[in-house]
Amino acid sequence: MRIARRALLRSGIAVGATGLSGLRMPARAEVRTRPLRLGVLTDMSGPYSDIGGAGSVLATRMAVEDIGGRVRDLPIEVITGDHQNKPDIGAGIARRWIDTGGIDAILDMPTSSVALAVQQVTREKGIATIFATAAIESLTNEECSPTSVQYVYDTYSIANVTAKASIAEGGDTWFFVTSDNGVGHFMAKTVSDTVIASGGKVLGSVKAPLGTSDFSSFLLQAQASRAKIVAFANAGTDTITSIKQAQEFGLVAGGQRLVGLLLFLSDIHGLGVAAAQGSLFTTSFYWDADEETRAWSKRYFARTNRMPNDTHAGLYSGVTHYLKAVQAAGPVGSDAIRWMKANEVRDFYARPGRIGRNGRMYKDMYLVEVKKPSQSKYPWDYLRVVRTSPAGDSFRPEADSKCKLQG
């Protein structure tokens, strides 16, 4: 024992009065060999499959391929799950992936109720989470998590950009056709509050069941209101159906303007420019904006025969930023997200972008208008940018967030 004590003293290690029994030797660091696993949890066949679905899986795979398929010398695997727009199914898949599947990050998640349910699981388990398609702002407000990022848009930015820019363009009276679910109600209220605060008026609102095929009674009420703006607080196939029927009922011909609060490029493609012309919506990305956006989008198109929505471009950017974080800080969820917050994003999607302490990605947003058929010169040439809204004007100021995270 004396020999051991002398050896330790010569090496500069202090030994307490109680002897070697109190000395804790460092444990050997675990060498990880299993793959880095990314789970795309999305809507594969339901009303939101065009904004998430197979396109989100491809965007994730493209990000993995472009980084070389490995990080920290670990192969990267991408797995998929269909949450069927049901919170219990989404949370169940997430928990199973974490408990038995060795998942490191969960991605995408259209349907805000699913996203909130999954975030409870990933917060508890410390798993990195990147929301690309979930809109509800509470994900980075009162329900924020140290391991989550909301990357593309939220209900506040949609309301703020769409309402203020539309009112600036003369649309000062509004009528809402609202999906009768949580995010529809939340979105309609948020936009209504912004309209009123900006000097506009709300002339009425009706609630439509999720998945309805007949909007006639709701559109007749909107038409009778004579509101300058008829806003659809819905998404996916509901938005496509409501805008198509609004054209058939003559709302646009009668001088009313249509606003989709969660409208996407794929919706315009499904509607056709003739049916959607003049509609306004907010987006974080347009494929035809410049050479960089076109270059990435054409690669995506080559594998899908479709141009990407902002959700797909944003998810690619978010996954790329996350993989860089894993390379720099390791695969532990909180460490990776902390690195993502500390480092600026600068790519074809964000120029630049930054992630706040609350997990909100801050970047410029755009109010766009659907072109007339005579203005569309080539395939997928559907939109013109009406107004650019800087990041600081688009999202809720970070100082006003109810998120209690300090970093």
Side-chain angles (χ1 to χ4, degrees):
M1 177 67 79
R2 290 195 197 92
I3 295 172
R5 284 181 67 92
R6 283 198 297 270
L8 286 167
L9 289 168
R10 281 198 300 270
S11 66
I13 298 175
V15 181
T18 57
L20 288 174
S21 61
L23 181 65
R24 299 184 63 183
M25 302 300 289
R28 176 181 290 182
E30 179 186 354
V31 177
R32 174 168 169 165
T33 58
R34 63 179 175 84
L36 185 81
R37 292 195 174 100
L38 312 181
V40 183
L41 186 53
T42 189
D43 176 3
M44 292 299 294
S45 58
Y48 308 129
S49 56
D50 275 351
I51 64 173
S56 291
V57 176
L58 174 59
T60 300
R61 293 191 187 283
M62 288 175 67
V64 170
E65 292 165 8
D66 288 351
I67 210 165
R70 302 179 74 86
V71 64
R72 290 198 161 213
D73 204 32
L74 301 173
I76 305 169
E77 292 182 357
V78 177
I79 63 175
T80 64
D82 185 353
H83 58 50
Q84 302 175 47
N85 300 303
K86 297 177 181 178
D88 57 336
I89 292 178
I93 292 172
R95 194 172 293 278
R96 185 171 68 253
W97 278 354
I98 296 167
D99 291 345
T100 64
I103 207 75
D104 292 287
I106 300 180
L107 317 169
D108 198 28
M109 281 160 287
T111 310
S112 292
S113 58
V114 173
L116 287 167
V118 170
Q119 180 158 266
Q120 290 183 18
V121 176
T122 57
R123 181 194 293 116
E124 171 193 334
K125 301 288 189 177
I127 297 297
T129 315
I130 301 174
F131 299 106
T133 43
I136 197 160
E137 187 202 4
S138 56
L139 287 166
T140 53
N141 204 26
E142 60 269 20
E143 298 294 332
C144 66
S145 166
T147 62
S148 295
V149 171
Q150 191 174 23
Y151 209 85
V152 178
Y153 50 64
D154 59 25
T155 43
Y156 182 94
S157 62
I158 292 165
N160 201 36
V161 176
T162 306
K164 288 183 177 179
S166 298
I167 288 173
E169 295 286 312
D172 56 358
T173 55
W174 290 59
F175 187 97
F176 289 87
V177 178
T178 301
S179 179
D180 195 8
N181 61 6
V183 73
H185 299 166
F186 188 88
M187 193 160 45
K189 183 184 185 308
T190 305
V191 178
S192 296
D193 291 346
T194 306
V195 167
I196 293 167
S198 301
K201 295 181 179 179
V202 176
L203 302 185
S205 177
V206 290
K207 297 174 184 176
L210 184 67
T212 186
S213 60
D214 183 4
F215 283 84
S216 57
S217 64
F218 314 121
L219 294 171
L220 288 171
Q221 293 178 65
Q223 193 172 43
S225 75
R226 298 187 179 181
K228 295 177 183 177
I229 299 288
V230 177
F232 297 103
N234 51 18
T237 53
D238 284 355
T239 302
I240 293 173
T241 303
S242 53
I243 289 178
K244 185 178 293 184
Q245 292 181 7
Q247 290 281 6
E248 294 168 356
F249 274 83
L251 272 69
V252 175
Q256 291 177 297
R257 202 163 194 182
L258 309 182
V259 165
L261 298 181
L262 277 176
L263 192 58
F264 299 89
L265 183 70
S266 58
D267 298 332
I268 307 307
H269 185 69
L271 282 161
V273 175
Q277 60 182 305
S279 299
L280 296 169
F281 64 97
T282 295
T283 185
S284 64
F285 169 86
Y286 180 45
W287 79 269
D288 205 15
D290 56 42
E291 288 303 320
E292 280 189 279
T293 59
R294 282 189 284 273
W296 184 84
S297 299
K298 287 177 180 177
R299 289 176 52 214
Y300 180 95
F301 182 89
R303 296 169 67 168
T304 61
N305 205 35
R306 299 169 69 86
M307 286 300 178
N309 289 315
D310 62 341
T311 49
H312 302 134
L315 185 57
Y316 172 94
S317 175
V319 173
T320 300
H321 196 50
Y322 166 74
L323 293 175
K324 290 178 180 177
V326 172
Q327 181 63 45
V332 174
S334 55
D335 294 343
I337 297 297
R338 192 176 299 113
W339 188 96
M340 291 175 72
K341 291 178 180 180
N343 289 271
E344 184 180 82
V345 182
R346 190 176 290 273
D347 57 18
F348 71 90
Y349 175 76
R351 306 154 184 192
R354 71 171 185 86
I355 299 171
R357 63 177 177 81
N358 56 355
R360 172 71 257 160
M361 163 66 136
Y362 294 92
K363 68 173 295 294
D364 293 351
M365 301 288 282
Y366 311 98
L367 183 76
V368 295
E369 180 184 42
V370 181
K371 292 181 176 181
K372 297 176 181 178
S374 61
Q375 298 170 322
S376 181
K377 303 302 183 185
Y378 43 86
W380 294 88
D381 176 28
Y382 297 157
L383 308 177
R384 76 174 185 92
V385 176
V386 175
R387 188 174 296 239
T388 298
S389 177
D393 295 336
S394 300
F395 296 92
R396 185 183 300 278
E398 199 170 350
D400 295 342
S401 174
K402 296 177 182 177
C403 177
K404 294 180 170 54
L405 298 176
Q406 298 302 310

